[in-house]
Amino acid sequence: MEKKQEEKLDRLFDFFREIDKEKLVTRQTYVTGAVRMEDDAEHAWHMAVMTLLLSGYSNEKIDVLKTVSMLLIHDLVEIYAGDTYAYAGVSKEAQHEKEAESADRLFGMLPEEGKKFRALWDEFERADTPEARFAHTMDNIQPMMLNDYTGGRAWKEHGVHLSQIMKRNKHTAEGSEILWDYAREKLIGPHVGKEIKE
């Protein structure tokens, strides 16, 4: 094996070992059955599969592989930055700054592919393309679905109000109006006034 090729593979496998730590980042959403909280890697996998099956509901034509790629990498930065609960009241600016530093550190481990990953991460953050808009829709709907399937347990534990959910999801319909309508009716509606405070 050529030295240059070996060095590149060493860097890639160093990165693969590092991102295994995503499995240790616990989120504030329970898995089905509310037996435990999900981790970031499970969240990413779930959204990727959902995108394969729901991409036809996007408001705009999307590159599915690009969208799945975006979803698989966008939370990797939480290996260093940690997970920020959606209703914790942390400013978007503060969260972005912390995660951008993590993106520099993590994607900087990669050879030339690091620039592509960083560009995908930045695109997700800006939410200014059809793929990024749909990725945000998936990122918002997946935890809603799990909250619904667990009887709204996390919403109840955190005292979440409907106004908070609506504020967090003010752009969800930009990725898919149909999926947002479905989520409002089937995933949120049944919990209003019960697990979700009005």
Side-chain angles (χ1 to χ4, degrees):
M1 182 182 297
E2 293 177 9
K3 182 72 173 167
K4 190 173 180 181
Q5 187 179 49
E6 182 181 356
E7 288 172 355
K8 179 175 180 176
L9 286 170
D10 282 344
R11 288 183 69 182
L12 290 173
F13 276 86
D14 285 344
F15 178 78
F16 300 150
R17 281 186 283 271
E18 190 70 3
I19 66 170
D20 189 56
K21 294 175 183 175
E22 186 181 32
K23 299 170 188 173
L24 302 175
V25 180
T26 304
R27 294 171 49 80
Q28 294 298 310
T29 307
Y30 287 96
V31 296
T32 301
V35 293
R36 64 174 173 81
M37 300 290 196
E38 74 173 344
D39 65 47
D40 265 1
E42 292 167 326
H43 172 61
W45 157 81
H46 214 170
M47 291 185 299
V49 174
M50 288 171 68
T51 298
L52 294 176
L53 296 170
L54 296 174
S55 59
Y57 295 99
S58 175
N59 293 339
E60 306 162 273
K61 184 170 175 47
I62 59 169
D63 178 329
V64 175
L65 178 58
K66 181 181 179 184
T67 308
V68 167
S69 300
M70 202 177 286
L71 287 167
L72 289 173
I73 70 162
H74 89 278
D75 277 339
L76 287 175
V77 298
E78 293 183 0
I79 290 169
Y80 306 131
D83 177 60
T84 302
Y85 183 54
Y87 305 108
V90 176
S91 79
K92 288 281 185 193
E93 294 77 18
Q95 181 182 347
H96 177 77
E97 188 176 320
K98 188 165 68 166
E99 290 183 353
E101 289 173 11
S102 295
D104 289 339
R105 178 178 170 192
L106 184 65
F107 301 137
M109 293 180 68
L110 288 167
E112 60 272 11
E113 293 85 358
K115 291 178 182 173
K116 179 181 177 185
F117 274 35
R118 178 57 196 258
L120 272 177
W121 186 82
D122 286 331
E123 184 177 333
F124 176 86
E125 289 292 296
R126 291 190 312 270
D128 61 357
T129 63
E131 290 79 13
R133 285 188 283 274
F134 192 77
H136 273 274
T137 297
M138 293 294 95
D139 195 33
N140 290 341
I141 287 178
Q142 186 267 351
M144 263 187 245
M145 177 187 70
L146 290 183
N147 272 299
D148 173 53
Y149 290 173
T150 57
R153 184 169 170 182
W155 286 328
K156 188 173 184 178
E157 287 179 359
H158 291 279
V160 174
H161 289 260
L162 180 60
S163 60
Q164 292 172 282
I165 294 172
M166 298 310 285
K167 181 178 178 183
R168 173 165 172 71
N169 286 281
K170 65 183 177 183
H171 298 293
T172 300
E174 292 173 14
S176 173
E177 291 177 14
I178 292 171
L179 293 177
W180 172 233
D181 287 345
Y182 180 87
R184 273 196 346 247
E185 181 182 335
K186 299 279 193 164
L187 306 179
I188 299 170
H191 300 276
V192 176
K194 301 171 188 173
E195 294 83 15
I196 301 169
K197 298 180 181 182
E198 293 189 63

